[in-house]
Amino acid sequence: MKRSGWVAWLRLLAGLGILVALVWHLGSQAFLAGLRRIDAATLLAALGIGVLTTVCSAWRWCLVARGVGLRLPLGRAVADYYRALFLNAALPGGVLGDVHRAVHHGRSSGDLGRGVRAVALERTAGQVVLLVTGAVVLLVRPSPVLAPVARFLASPVVALSVAAAGLLVLAVAVRLRRRRGASRGERALRTVVAEARQGLLARGVWPGVALSSAAVLAGYLGMFVLAARVAGATAPTAELVPLVVLALLAMALPLNVGGWGPREGVAAWAFGAAGLGAAQGLTTAVIYGVLAFVASLPGAVVLLARVSPLSAARPAASGAVPLGIRIPSKEPRRSGAEGPPLAAATGMIRQRAVEVPSAVAGGARPQASQATPARGDTS
């Protein structure tokens, strides 16, 4: 098995391990209680919040794609984003939908690399806004969970890691600025940096990216607070927001099974540290996971519509020729080819036969020559 395969399996096992540990310590009642508390009104609210976050996310994707020079209509972006959200929620790993979205847009636009980088930049913009907002909330809003988080961030390991990453980025930037003739890797890095400036930091792009990212984050926070209320949390919303931010930050960790794993673990720890009970935090995370999946269900409709027989027949209607239909040859007639263009006796133009695949014989067979009436022939 390739190294990437082993890494994917380890990530899945890590997510499953977190869920098993939560069930072992808190019991399965927290999971079942979350499922029993969900009603129709909650599901409708989740669908409404999902429309807001998906449209804003698709708008952000359109802005980034146009910034790097790719065309992406908003309607198509919304449909593709819904499909990606459903695949992320239904498949292990939590990122396969984004990979499919990036490859599909890159191939349809004629530039696979740029399409993939546009999706990567769009996702990065959302994560940066989440990190900045989370840092501000945790620093401004007093919370019982702030002390252990601050101790972790101030630990020597984290400080050295951040310092090393900063020095590495600075060294790479200095090297790229000094060197004219760069290697292939350096040219690729310069391309990524240039597209990041165009797709995220351009004057006509960054305000929309920031606004859409803030709206998406507000939708995620609102859905998590809704899940907490359904789970029975009576704490003020201002007290719940720091806990929710930590759970959302945990969702960025690539150790999950369809989004499940770190989110539930961090929610249980944060609610327990805040005195609200670890079981209630786990129930809240479970409800949020169900609501997020329900909000992505329109993506299943998009997925089925794209693979339906009607959509499969669209290429034929747009110019593709079905099997068994003869296409007249456009090759120039060679000297000595049989017959003149115009047969005086019949007034018909002879056309060269073209070989087409035979579905019965399994090979190619020539089609019989057909006669087409010449211009002026009224017979």
Side-chain angles (χ1 to χ4, degrees), residues 29-336:
Q29 185 62 27
F31 286 90
L32 299 178
L35 297 178
R36 285 195 295 262
R37 289 175 177 268
I38 300 175
D39 55 10
T42 304
L43 296 179
L44 290 177
L47 285 173
I49 296 175
V51 171
L52 169 66
T53 57
T54 305
V55 171
C56 291
S57 298
W59 178 38
R60 179 177 62 195
W61 183 24
C62 291
L63 293 174
V64 175
R66 293 168 186 172
V68 299
L70 297 178
R71 181 179 178 273
L72 182 59
L74 180 59
R76 174 187 167 187
V78 172
D80 289 351
Y81 218 104
Y82 258 122
R83 179 178 56 188
L85 290 176
F86 175 74
L87 293 177
N88 285 342
L91 299 177
V95 295
L96 296 180
D98 291 323
V99 173
H100 180 270
R101 172 166 63 98
V103 174
H104 177 73
H105 179 227
R107 288 179 175 175
S108 62
S109 61
D111 194 332
L112 178 60
R114 188 172 296 182
V116 171
R117 291 191 294 271
V119 171
L121 290 174
E122 182 265 327
R123 296 295 297 165
T124 301
Q127 295 300 322
V128 168
V129 171
L130 174 60
L131 289 173
V132 173
T133 304
V136 172
V137 169
L138 293 177
L139 291 176
V140 173
R141 178 65 187 175
S143 177
V145 301
L146 180 59
V149 172
R151 285 197 300 267
F152 172 74
L153 294 178
S155 62
V157 175
V158 175
L160 291 176
S161 301
V162 173
L167 291 175
L168 179 61
V169 172
L170 181 61
V172 171
V174 171
R175 185 176 181 183
L176 291 178
R177 180 175 292 273
R178 288 182 177 179
R179 293 189 58 177
R180 291 289 185 180
S183 63
R184 182 178 180 181
E186 292 174 345
R187 290 196 299 269
L189 182 58
R190 286 181 176 177
T191 301
V192 172
V193 173
E195 289 182 348
R197 292 176 179 174
Q198 298 171 358
L200 296 179
L201 304 178
R203 180 177 301 178
V205 175
W206 74 263
V209 170
L211 179 60
S212 59
S213 299
V216 171
L217 180 56
Y220 291 158
L221 291 174
M223 186 175 293
F224 229 120
V225 172
L226 172 64
R229 297 306 183 197
V230 174
T234 58
T237 303
E239 184 178 345
L240 291 175
V241 168
L243 314 180
V244 170
V245 167
L246 288 175
L248 291 176
L249 289 173
M251 291 176 59
L253 297 176
L255 306 173
N256 59 77
V257 182
W260 297 76
R263 175 184 62 208
E264 285 69 29
V266 171
W269 166 79
F271 274 67
L276 302 178
Q280 189 172 81
L282 177 57
T283 302
T284 299
V286 170
I287 295 175
Y288 177 85
V290 175
L291 297 184
F293 180 76
V294 171
S296 70
L297 285 180
V301 178
V302 176
L303 186 63
L304 293 176
R306 294 289 173 87
V307 299
S308 63
L310 291 178
S311 62
R314 288 174 187 170
S318 61
V321 180
L323 184 63
I325 301 299
R326 184 186 59 81
I327 307 175
S329 174
K330 297 182 180 180
E331 297 181 357
R333 184 177 299 276
R334 301 175 183 175
S335 58

